[in-house]
Amino acid sequence: MLNPTLSALLPLLAPTLLFAAGLLSPPNAAGRPSAIRAARMAIGALLVAVASAILIWREGPVIHSLIGSGPVAFGVYFDTLSAIMLGLVSFLGAVVVRYSVNYLDGDPRHSRFTRWLCFTIGSVLTLVIAGNLLLFALAWMATSLCLHRLLTFYPDRPGALLAARKKFLISRLGDAAMLGVLALTLHLFGTWDFREIFRQAETFQAGEIPSAVGWISLLLVAGAMMKSAQFPFHSWLPDTMETPTPVSALMHAGIINAGGFLLVRFSPVVSLSPIAMNTLVIVGSFTALFASLIMLTQTSIKRFLAYSTIAQMGFMMLQCGLGAFALAVLHIVAHSLYKAHAFLSSGSIVSLAKSAWVPSERPAAHPFVLLSILLASVSICWGTAALFGIHFSENPGVLILGSVYLMALAFFLWNLWASSHRAKLIGRGLLIGIAASAAYFGLHAFINHLLAASLPPQAVSHGPVELAAMFLVILLFMAVLVIQAQMPQWSSTKLGRTLYVHAYKGFYFVTLANRITLALTPRSTPR
């Protein structure tokens, strides 16, 4: 058994390396040597994350205070959830820092960029392993402030500055919500230590839940919405496309997930508040559907990916609202890896799109065909769930989310139906669907087992209102699928063209947000 202090210092070494790399990259230093040194230290942080995961496997969770006492006892809370996120963020950080070595080679401000990039990644790593709510909040704010320096890296681009100003204002609202959480948590629990907060939260499950828990949970939901670009706080994300590509990759694959991590980390508290959970379902569902519709109309690859990120974050909020916190963690990992690759390879996305197979002449989707395909997809999902011993009465959220996930298969099957070799391809498509469904429930069982000690028991709602809301979510996602399938035909009608134009413009929420930002900061030019 290792000394508790040494065990806590090992994961703490990961953000320390990134902060050191930032300090060793002064603004006026030569760019490429600083970037290469930072890349090596980022790889070192990744190795530390791997070693820390091995420590968890051998020794169990590491929960230890290092500095201070009482409410301000800063320390490390390193459990399986922290290990997964530390490994993910350090891996993305190593890739992004290494990518930026060549991407910004020759830029006179390369060293300054490397400095703030390392500080941003270091702040996220601190957020992941924080064992105290105060340290968590400080890292939360530092992440936003360091990212702001990256978003304003090109001070001569008005569009980039306006997007940064919008992000800055929204982040300050998120910080205000976090300050409210700090005050209420100290008042209710008498401490900011995570271990004590979660221990007391377990006792509330068996008795009366204080009203302050509801307010804390709602403030946590509000902070997560603002950090993860949920409606109506989403407009800044699609407008940050003028930043360097490494920033876009880090932001969409890493920082944007902070809101989801906030909810999962505080799931023992948030899950006690039905109002907070229902708010997550409503906001997450609407954001996912709203952003998906806009995404379908975008012609810019980066804006398409940005609205894709907003939709994915909405779906992650929905997962948390349904109590499927383990699935939310799995979603964070999968989305981060996919989105980092998508942004870092966005220059070759046109070639990839040309090489992808689509039917050359896709006819209008007959309603009966669409309905049959949708029913087949949902049947595959529920049949596979039964094989895994998952029943709606016990885990409604997992089945609802699985049904939505398998709807992607429905669009795939519809494409196959449009082929002249439909008989052969449909059979293969169904086999792929069965394999995808088995992978979904298999991964859910694995991640649920892995995070069992870090998460509360899955929240299950049996009330008629909650169940009706869940089925409404399925119907709404079906509606998006129908719109996607029929869009080529509807775009030829006057009403379809009108709706298409409004969706392309983001239903003008971006314009409204720009006007509000300019009214609040008419002369400010952040640098």
Side-chain angles (χ1 to χ4, degrees), residues 14-15 18 41-50 78 81-98 117-129 143 249-258 261 329 332-333 336-337 340:
L18 268 300
M41 298 181 79
I43 293 173
L46 174 59
L47 296 176
V48 168
V50 173
F78 193 71
L81 173 62
S82 300
I84 292 173
M85 297 303 299
L86 187 72
L88 175 66
V89 175
S90 59
F91 173 73
L92 293 174
V95 172
V96 169
V97 174
R98 181 63 187 86
L117 182 64
C118 291
F119 284 161
T120 304
I121 300 171
S123 299
V124 178
L125 292 175
T126 304
L127 180 80
V128 165
I129 64 172
T143 299
L250 178 64
M251 185 165 53
H252 288 259
I255 298 173
I256 201 74
N257 293 314
F261 176 72
V329 175
I332 287 175
V333 175
S336 296
L337 297 176

Side-chain angles (χ1 to χ4, degrees), residues 292-293 295-297 304 362-363 365 370 407-412 414-415 477-490:
S292 296
L293 288 176
M295 178 187 71
L296 295 175
T297 65
F304 175 90
R362 188 163 54 192
L370 270 180
M407 284 182 195
L409 169 68
F411 189 72
F412 171 63
W414 177 61
N415 276 329
F477 276 95
M478 282 185 176
V480 171
L481 174 66
V482 172
I483 292 173
Q484 184 180 10
Q486 300 287 11
M487 184 173 289
Q489 285 70 43
W490 291 353

Side-chain angles (χ1 to χ4, degrees), residues 390-452:
I390 297 176
H391 304 286
F392 185 80
S393 59
E394 300 173 356
N395 296 293
V398 174
L399 275 169
I400 297 297
L401 294 168
S403 300
V404 174
Y405 163 64
L406 264 294
M407 284 182 195
L409 169 68
F411 189 72
F412 171 63
L413 290 176
W414 177 61
N415 276 329
L416 297 180
W417 183 267
S419 170
S420 58
H421 304 287
R422 67 177 62 169
K424 183 195 304 183
L425 293 178
I426 284 291
R428 294 179 180 178
L430 290 173
L431 290 176
I432 292 174
I434 294 172
S437 183
Y440 167 80
F441 289 107
L443 287 172
H444 168 258
F446 171 74
I447 198 72
N448 208 38
H449 172 74
L450 201 63
L451 295 173

Side-chain angles (χ1 to χ4, degrees), residues 340-418:
H341 175 267
F343 270 97
L344 296 179
S345 62
S346 59
S348 58
I349 199 70
V350 175
S351 300
L352 292 174
K354 288 181 178 179
S355 64
W357 177 85
V358 292
S360 56
E361 295 182 1
R362 188 163 54 192
H366 192 280
F368 180 75
V369 174
L370 270 180
L371 180 61
S372 300
I373 289 173
L374 286 170
L375 290 176
S377 301
V378 174
S379 299
I380 289 173
C381 172
W382 287 53
T384 309
L387 295 176
F388 277 84
I390 297 176
H391 304 286
F392 185 80
S393 59
E394 300 173 356
N395 296 293
V398 174
L399 275 169
I400 297 297
L401 294 168
S403 300
V404 174
Y405 163 64
L406 264 294
M407 284 182 195
L409 169 68
F411 189 72
F412 171 63
L413 290 176
W414 177 61
N415 276 329
L416 297 180
W417 183 267

Side-chain angles (χ1 to χ4, degrees), residues 117-464:
L117 182 64
C118 291
F119 284 161
T120 304
I121 300 171
S123 299
V124 178
L125 292 175
T126 304
L127 180 80
V128 165
I129 64 172
N132 173 282
L133 182 57
L134 180 59
L135 179 60
F136 186 99
L138 292 174
W140 175 276
M141 298 175 190
T143 299
S144 173
L145 294 174
C146 293
L147 177 62
H148 183 77
R149 305 292 297 198
L150 294 174
L151 294 178
T152 57
F153 180 70
Y154 294 122
D156 56 340
R157 298 183 179 181
L161 295 183
L162 179 59
R165 287 156 64 179
K166 283 195 292 185
K167 173 68 170 66
F168 187 86
L169 292 175
I170 292 171
S171 294
R172 301 295 71 77
L173 290 176
D175 293 346
M178 189 59 68
L179 291 175
V181 171
L182 281 170
L184 288 174
T185 299
L186 186 61
H187 172 73
L188 177 63
F189 296 99
T191 181
W192 284 325
D193 181 73
F194 283 167
R195 176 171 47 184
E196 180 61 21
I197 292 172
F198 299 155
R199 187 193 65 78
Q200 292 188 40
E202 288 183 6
T203 64
F204 293 154
Q205 293 177 352
E208 183 178 355
I209 300 176
S211 60
V213 170
W215 289 109
I216 292 172
S217 300
L218 286 173
L219 286 173
L220 289 170
V221 170
M225 287 172 55
M226 295 172 198
K227 182 68 80 173
S228 293
Q230 296 297 281
F231 182 90
F233 308 107
H234 66 284
S235 65
W236 63 270
L237 190 62
D239 286 352
T240 57
M241 297 298 101
E242 294 189 58
T243 59
T245 296
V247 179
S248 296
L250 178 64
M251 185 165 53
H252 288 259
I255 298 173
I256 201 74
N257 293 314
F261 176 72
L262 171 71
L263 294 173
V264 176
R265 171 53 79 204
F266 285 91
S267 56
V269 177
V270 176
S271 61
L272 296 176
S273 171
I275 296 178
M277 299 291 280
N278 292 333
T279 301
L280 284 172
V281 171
I282 295 171
V283 171
S285 300
F286 181 82
T287 301
L289 296 166
F290 176 82
S292 296
L293 288 176
I294 298 175
M295 178 187 71
L296 295 175
T297 65
Q298 299 304 301
T299 55
S300 165
I301 292 297
K302 284 193 171 184
R303 288 189 72 85
F304 175 90
L305 291 174
Y307 278 106
S308 169
T309 297
I310 296 171
Q312 293 288 343
M313 293 301 101
F315 194 65
M316 185 179 62
M317 296 288 168
L318 171 62
Q319 290 170 325
C320 292
L322 293 175
F325 293 106
L327 279 178
V329 175
L330 183 62
H331 191 169
I332 287 175
V333 175
H335 174 261
S336 296
L337 297 176
Y338 151 71
K339 199 53 65 77
H341 175 267
F343 270 97
L344 296 179
S345 62
S346 59
S348 58
I349 199 70
V350 175
S351 300
L352 292 174
K354 288 181 178 179
S355 64
W357 177 85
V358 292
S360 56
E361 295 182 1
R362 188 163 54 192
H366 192 280
F368 180 75
V369 174
L370 270 180
L371 180 61
S372 300
I373 289 173
L374 286 170
L375 290 176
S377 301
V378 174
S379 299
I380 289 173
C381 172
W382 287 53
T384 309
L387 295 176
F388 277 84
I390 297 176
H391 304 286
F392 185 80
S393 59
E394 300 173 356
N395 296 293
V398 174
L399 275 169
I400 297 297
L401 294 168
S403 300
V404 174
Y405 163 64
L406 264 294
M407 284 182 195
L409 169 68
F411 189 72
F412 171 63
L413 290 176
W414 177 61
N415 276 329
L416 297 180
W417 183 267
S419 170
S420 58
H421 304 287
R422 67 177 62 169
K424 183 195 304 183
L425 293 178
I426 284 291
R428 294 179 180 178
L430 290 173
L431 290 176
I432 292 174
I434 294 172
S437 183
Y440 167 80
F441 289 107
L443 287 172
H444 168 258
F446 171 74
I447 198 72
N448 208 38
H449 172 74
L450 201 63
L451 295 173
S454 302
L455 303 177
Q458 176 138 333
V460 180
S461 299
H462 295 283

